[in-house]
Amino acid sequence: MRSMSFLRVVLLMLALALLSGCGYNQIQQKDEATKAAWSEVLNQYKRRADLIPNLVNTVKGYAAQEKEVLIRVTEARAKVGQMNVNASDAASLAQFQQAQGELSQALSRLLVVTENYPNLKSDQSFRDLQAQLEGTENRITVARGRFIEAVQDYNTYIRQFPQNLTAMAFGHQQKPNFTVENEQQIQEAPAVDFGASQAPAAPAPAAVPPPVASTAANPAVAPAN
């Protein structure tokens, strides 16, 4: 009886040692790291979405006639808010990236349009929103970069021997990441440089140099030998 209990303890300890040596614990840690990194990506995208209603309302107060642009931004934000993204599913992640890219493009058009409204550009609330939007875009870039690194670390680890056997035994598969095409689509933050859309000033006319007397054209002033 005692021998059976002792044998069970030995087998349990052996199993735990094998699981630890084959990377099981590390796989769990890296899996959780990717989930945390993705949560931060969603957190920053949500922060941007929360800024948009205030931005739209501020612009509407000065440029209500830009109805089409305002509607596009609102619709793009609504589409993003309705998505249930699964970062472990490549198709779901691709749809999420596409929706975020469409929202970035709509914001870009909105901010370019505001160039035609000097009073809006000088409004303090609009300038504050602009600064917050710039900061959010930077945070999105950082969070997305950390997620990419976490997924790369996880995928690389579970493909190595003997971790690949452990991953296969427990059903751990490679995670999708931001693809190059989609990454290029959403890489650029919405344009917030209002001076960029201004037409370049016409070059000033070249100054006409004063006439210079030519000794060849006026023999009367030719120097004497």
Side-chain angles (χ1 to χ4, degrees):
M1 197 68 174
R2 291 181 179 178
S3 60
M4 290 294 296
S5 299
F6 177 75
L7 181 61
R8 290 178 181 176
V9 172
V10 171
L11 291 176
L12 179 60
M13 293 179 63
L14 181 61
L16 291 175
L18 290 174
L19 287 176
S20 176
C22 64
Y24 177 83
N25 291 338
Q26 288 82 355
I27 290 176
Q28 307 310 311
Q29 293 174 0
K30 293 179 184 297
D31 184 40
E32 290 300 320
T34 62
K35 293 177 181 177
W38 177 247
S39 295
E40 182 60 18
V41 171
L42 292 179
N43 180 46
Q44 296 305 329
Y45 274 124
K46 184 179 184 302
R47 186 175 187 272
R48 179 174 72 166
D50 291 342
L51 287 172
I52 291 175
N54 291 335
L55 181 66
V56 170
N57 289 333
T58 302
V59 174
K60 188 185 298 183
Y62 288 88
Q65 61 271 29
E66 304 292 348
K67 183 177 180 180
E68 181 180 355
V69 177
L70 296 171
I71 289 176
R72 286 184 180 180
V73 174
T74 303
E75 289 179 345
R77 179 186 180 276
K79 182 178 180 180
V80 168
Q82 293 170 358
M83 294 192 65
N84 293 320
V85 59
N86 178 9
S88 298
D89 180 67
S92 178
L93 182 60
Q95 292 176 357
F96 174 79
Q97 293 178 84
Q98 182 180 0
Q100 292 292 347
E102 292 173 358
L103 179 56
S104 292
Q105 293 173 8
L107 276 173
S108 297
R109 288 191 292 268
L110 174 65
L111 294 172
V112 168
V113 162
T114 59
E115 174 61 24
N116 299 324
Y117 303 91
N119 292 335
L120 171 60
K121 291 191 299 178
S122 63
D123 182 86
Q124 185 60 44
S125 61
F126 178 76
R127 292 165 63 182
D128 291 343
L129 287 169
Q130 174 188 348
Q132 292 182 55
L133 184 60
E134 288 176 335
T136 301
E137 293 296 341
N138 291 334
R139 291 185 179 92
I140 288 173
T141 300
V142 172
R144 197 169 59 231
R146 290 175 178 171
F147 173 73
I148 291 172
E149 292 176 357
V151 170
Q152 181 183 18
D153 181 53
Y154 172 85
N155 288 343
T156 301
Y157 188 79
I158 67 170
R159 291 177 62 187
Q160 296 174 344
F161 181 84
Q163 297 91 269
N164 61 335
L165 300 179
T166 305
M168 185 182 304
F170 289 91
H172 293 286
Q173 300 178 351
Q174 294 188 52
K175 297 180 181 294
N177 213 332
F178 288 107
T179 62
V180 175
E181 293 80 10
N182 288 331
E183 181 70 5
Q184 288 176 344
Q185 182 184 17
I186 65 175
Q187 182 65 39
E188 294 185 2
V192 292
D193 183 5
F194 297 107
S197 61
Q198 292 179 340
V208 179
V212 179
S214 172
T215 56
N218 189 357
V221 297
N225 291 332

